[in-house]
Amino acid sequence: MRSPLQIREFHYADVPALAKIVGQLWQFDQTNRGLNEAAARVYLRTCLTQQNYVRVAVWQNQVVGAILADTKYRKKERSYDLWQLTVAKAALAVRPGGWQLLRQLRERGSIDDHLLASLQRREFLGEIVLLMVDPEYQNLGIGHRLVQTVAEYWDAAPVDKVYLFTAAERLGRFYRQQGFQESQREQVDWPAADQPHQLAGYLYTGHVSDLVTAPKHRLCKE
């Protein structure tokens, strides 16, 4: 029986579907759908400028997730992605509240940079820039399959040590199941005038050999 899940290469036509998933997962603005969607496009476009490997998960012809990764010694032409990021930022900036979200996105980036300072960067040649799965299709093993796809790619590259950032503590169990270990965490107060809160960042590192041998998960959706 053919699996309902396919992992394929990324096409720019996938951007709207992937941006929608980003908005559902990150919830940049829970009160304004248009603002949330615009911020999601900026976040996705930012990640696209930082990758040189993308695979998309498709479940019965529907885009349900993706993984973006960067192999540090492999270059990629980024001019189109940088241009599209500029367009997405401009579209967000003209919306009421858009500048605040742009500042928050930059603040998240600064947390990642601070965490990255603790690494011996020359030893870590692979980064998972973004991993996402549609909320309706989670717990089916799709995230695991995506991680396995890039792990096999890195294993052949070859790459040994890799890392990723996440802002969600609840994802720690999943990443540990994939072969990662938490290396560091950071929390800062975000002084938003209307809704002050904390921004958190978690750094996970691992060896590709551990990712490749992580236990498989069954794919099943009723």
Side-chain angles (χ1 to χ4, degrees):
M1 182 177 178
R2 184 180 178 183
S3 170
L5 176 68
Q6 291 182 295
I7 306 296
R8 62 162 172 78
E9 292 186 358
F10 165 77
H11 309 298
Y12 282 106
D14 297 323
V15 166
L18 295 177
K20 181 179 179 181
I21 296 172
V22 170
Q24 292 174 330
L25 293 172
W26 273 263
Q27 289 292 310
F28 299 100
D29 190 301
Q30 300 183 25
T31 62
N32 187 315
R33 179 179 177 182
L35 197 60
N36 184 62
E37 291 176 351
R41 286 192 291 272
V42 170
Y43 186 74
L44 176 60
R45 290 293 187 182
T46 300
C47 292
L48 285 169
T49 67
Q50 300 168 356
Q51 57 73 33
N52 49 31
Y53 178 93
V54 185
R55 290 296 181 270
V56 174
V58 179
W59 188 286
Q60 295 180 343
N61 299 319
Q62 180 177 340
V63 172
V64 296
I67 190 164
L68 284 64
D70 184 38
T71 305
K72 302 305 178 182
Y73 58 82
R74 293 188 172 176
K75 303 299 182 182
K76 175 182 182 267
E77 172 56 46
R78 303 179 190 272
S79 57
Y80 177 78
D81 292 323
L82 289 168
W83 167 247
Q84 290 298 314
L85 173 59
T86 301
V87 172
K89 284 182 174 180
L92 177 58
V94 298
R95 291 176 174 269
W99 277 110
Q100 183 179 2
L101 281 178
L102 283 171
R103 289 203 327 269
Q104 183 174 339
L105 289 168
R106 286 196 297 269
E107 184 68 24
R108 290 184 182 276
S110 68
I111 294 176
D112 292 350
D113 291 340
H114 184 76
L115 290 169
L116 190 58
S118 68
L119 283 183
Q120 297 293 327
R121 296 185 65 172
R122 291 183 179 180
E123 298 180 11
F124 289 82
L125 297 179
E127 176 189 3
I128 293 181
V129 177
L130 178 63
L131 173 63
M132 57 176 159
V133 177
D134 187 313
E136 293 186 9
Y137 291 82
Q138 292 181 2
N139 301 312
L140 299 173
I142 297 173
H144 172 77
R145 280 283 299 276
L146 287 167
V147 173
Q148 284 287 293
T149 301
V150 73
E152 291 168 1
Y153 168 77
W154 277 331
D155 192 41
V159 168
D160 178 21
K161 295 182 180 180
V162 297
Y163 66 93
L164 63 88
F165 301 109
T166 181
E169 185 176 15
R170 62 181 176 79
L171 294 178
R173 181 172 178 268
F174 169 79
Y175 287 122
R176 287 191 293 272
Q177 289 176 337
Q178 309 314 308
F180 286 94
Q181 296 295 325
E182 182 182 323
S183 294
Q184 192 174 342
R185 61 176 63 192
E186 184 81 10
Q187 286 190 329
V188 298
D189 292 323
W190 174 249
D194 57 339
Q195 193 178 14
H197 57 281
Q198 281 195 327
L199 293 178
Y202 304 87
L203 172 66
Y204 285 84
T205 59
H207 291 270
V208 171
S209 58
D210 293 329
L211 274 59
V212 169
T213 58
K216 292 181 172 60
H217 295 263
R218 181 181 179 186
L219 293 168
C220 179
K221 189 176 192 295
E222 295 181 356

